[in-house]
Amino acid sequence: MDRKKEAQDKDMGRRDFIKKVAVGSAVTAPLMNFQIPIVRVSLDELLQKHFKEMSEEEKKRVIERLEKEHRERYGVDVKIKTTEPLKGVVWGYALNIKRCIGCRRCVYACVKENNQSRASPEDPTVGEIHWIRVVEIEKAKIEPGTEGTDFRTKFGDVKVGISLEEGEHYYDPEKVPEKEYIYIPIQCQQCEKPPCVKVCPTKATWKEPDGVIVVDYNWCIGCRYCMAACPYWARRFNWTWPYLPKDEINPDMHYLGNRIRYRGVVEKCTFCIQRTREGRYPACLEACPVGARKFGNLLDPESEIRKIIDEKRVFRLKEELGTEPKFFYYMD
Amino acid sequence: MRNFVQFILYSLRIALSGNSKYYAWLASLLVLVIFGTYSYLYQLQNGLIITGMRDQVSWGLYISNFTFFVGVAASAVLIVVPLYVYNYREFEYIVTFGEFLAVSALIIALTNVLADVGRVDRLFHMFPIIGTPNWPDSMLTWDIIVLNGYLLLNLLIPGYKLYKKYMNQEPSNWIRYFILLSIPWAISIHTVTAFIYAGLSARPYWNTALMAPRFIASAFTSGPAMMILVLLIIRRYTFYRKYISDKAISTLTQITLIAMIINLFLLLSEIYTVFYSATVHQISLKYLFFGLEHDGKLYAALTPIAWISVLMQVTSVGLLLPKRTRQNFKALALACALNFGGVWLEKGMGLIVPGFVPTPIGEIWEYMPSFMEAVIVLGTIGWGLLVYTLMLKVAKTIEGKQNLPEE
Ligand code: SF4
Ligand code: SF4
């Protein structure tokens, strides 16, 4: 092992230690290096309260500890916010599928902004995590006739269509877009009636007043019930510790958003709450080269997103399940 | 209190003494337990990445086994009801087999949950007072409540009766209320477990009202089948032979047979409805029985398991229907083994996994348990069998000493 690599290993601290054990001798190492999980988890972390039950004082202490954890584990100074939701706002997203070219720039902007795990060069089991999946569907497969059915929602009428069963999200042609295909980027739809929240046995995931579904990564027990319940395959599980090179970490973090996740918990898109609660757009929207993505306040009748719902041909995914997504797809 | 301590010590002594065959059996179970525990520690250290599960199929062998053994636990009620409600005395002697089977099956079920969660150190988050249980919304919260309640009931009832026998006293009347309570409770544990899956509109394969009835039917056939196997083994290899009457076994056989026929009938209804209407919802069932084709590649890892399972179940019915084979203990044992194995395959790989294939956005991804994962599951089964053996040994020795049923 050369010098540089050694230094890197030190930087990554605990995560790397664990990983090295995993890769190392599979027979003797586990017994020799085994620590009781209670020990590996600090008492402080173990006894931490549910985010919504913490006082401001407690929150501050927890944030301090978390920032320290980030420093020790990843060697970066981060700022973890607990910005409250804006008053009188419910976020909604709209995506123009006639414009989307399937370039996946949003996917990678999201990975970067939200500190998702990257593929580890040393450990093949540590892979990339993507919150946005772009599904490619043959134009011919969009069911004709289904677009005409109106659904009344509290934010305007929408139409149904598109069966995802025939989709492909590993498409990899030389050049996108391909002519006979359309692209449907799918991320958490921030359902108004989220099945994932209903099923969670610990209330570790909930709907915030601004309509965004969040996860307390310090409260989730990793049962993965929410993953089974989500009709949009929007949730990801940390099967192992995420891998993040030091210089690729986004230090502007939110407790309920893009702080680095633990092994054994779920994560998902939050419409970038670390940005939107400060009046900025989500990273995916800014990355889109064709302007297919629109974002705004659903409660404001004058907002761009409400105009789109009123004026364009709009549909939501799997309308028949009654999840009431706040993610709208539209066509010019 | 002192009596109770003595009772416990006495029980321990019985549990740990026996002939060489008994020790050999215990040792082999211990081996399973040790390998399982070792693998579990390995998983704690390295995370669930060592399993075959991924985001596409996020529940696998652990949850499958959990589901199956909850069913086995529920079936104890089939001995309790005839005995305590209909006063069917033939079951007097074997009722402890049922109650302890429930305890052991629950131990297996619950340890599988422990193996499945990503953060076992935070499990207390789902308990009242110390955590924030999502009650009544989450079926998993319900399930943990009813499973633990059922576990306590099935420890209390036989434990109390044994203690009284040890003290040479008649059990007081209040225990009857707990026995009666255990009957609906048994149904509830399996119903709630079925509801975990049936309530998910995201998974059309599970989202059927037939789910709970099918769960109960398959539990009520595989549970007694397991019990018959245990009784046959005990009759053959131990000296308790004369207490297990042919009549008790034949009653159990009938229960197994009827429940299996109902189970197959429900399966047929499911298959008919799904395939005849041929909506997109048929795709998971199609995956299970025929495999799915995608880009010229056939994905059919579960197909052999599905067909073998059906074949096993049908053969067991074939063996149990004619009187001649039904009353031949060798054929009976084979039928019960086929029944148990068939239901295990169906509930194990056939029920949970296809619900995830394809994923809600159309990806076909095949799950196969990893070696470590399988060893952990074997370890949990080892735990269950170990507890079962020890408890039965104690129960039967105390009962045999102090309450010999007349010949
Ligand atoms: S898309 Fe899935 S994860 Fe997002 S709110 Fe809806 S059910 Fe929950
Ligand atoms: S994995 Fe976490 S967030 Fe999802 S249901 Fe379980 S505890 Fe809740």
Side-chain angles (χ1 to χ4, degrees), chain A residues 187-191 194-197 213 226 229-235 268 323:
Chain A
Q187 60 215 69
C188 174
Q189 312 278 302
Q190 316 294 358
C191 308
C196 55
V197 169
I213 317 297
C226 54
C230 172
Y232 307 98
W233 205 57
R235 290 179 167 250
K268 60 177 268 304
T323 50

Side-chain angles (χ1 to χ4, degrees), chain B residues 74-132:
Chain B
S75 65
V77 74
L78 293 174
I79 299 193
V80 171
V81 170
L83 175 62
Y84 292 112
V85 179
Y86 296 105
N87 210 9
Y88 182 68
R89 288 284 131 201
E90 293 293 332
F91 279 177
E92 176 112 58
Y93 184 78
I94 63 168
V95 68
T96 31
F97 286 95
E99 288 158 337
F100 284 148
L101 184 67
V103 172
S104 317
L106 282 175
I107 289 178
I108 302 177
L110 289 170
T111 43
N112 270 289
V113 174
L114 289 189
D116 188 70
V117 293
R119 292 298 302 241
V120 78
D121 53 310
R122 295 181 186 166
L123 214 56
F124 69 91
H125 291 175
M126 67 196 289
F127 298 136
I129 302 163
I130 46 173
T132 54

